[in-house]
Amino acid sequence: MKKYRCTACDYLYNPEVGDPENGIAAGTPFEELPEDWTCPLCGLGKEAFEAEE
């Protein structure tokens, strides 16, 4: 699964870890995050993230 980085604050969403503090279970691909999910550090939406190569 690809990791995604916030272009504003460099937060890295790792699907193997998820975002447990915000109710996102480990193993959740970025594409399956809720549309209203936001970056836990800066609050921007999914549109601010880019896939890591």
Side-chain angles (χ1 to χ4, degrees):
M1 288 187 274
K2 284 187 178 181
K3 297 176 183 175
Y4 285 77
R5 185 172 302 278
C6 179
T7 58
C9 72
D10 279 341
Y11 170 80
L12 183 66
Y13 177 76
N14 181 347
E16 293 178 8
V17 175
D19 183 12
E21 292 177 8
N22 292 297
I24 306 299
T28 303
F30 185 82
E31 296 80 12
E32 293 181 15
L33 291 173
E35 287 305 312
D36 61 351
W37 180 84
T38 58
C39 176
L41 296 184
C42 71
L44 291 180
K46 290 172 64 177
E47 68 280 352
F49 283 74
E50 291 182 349
E52 289 275 283
E53 295 302 325

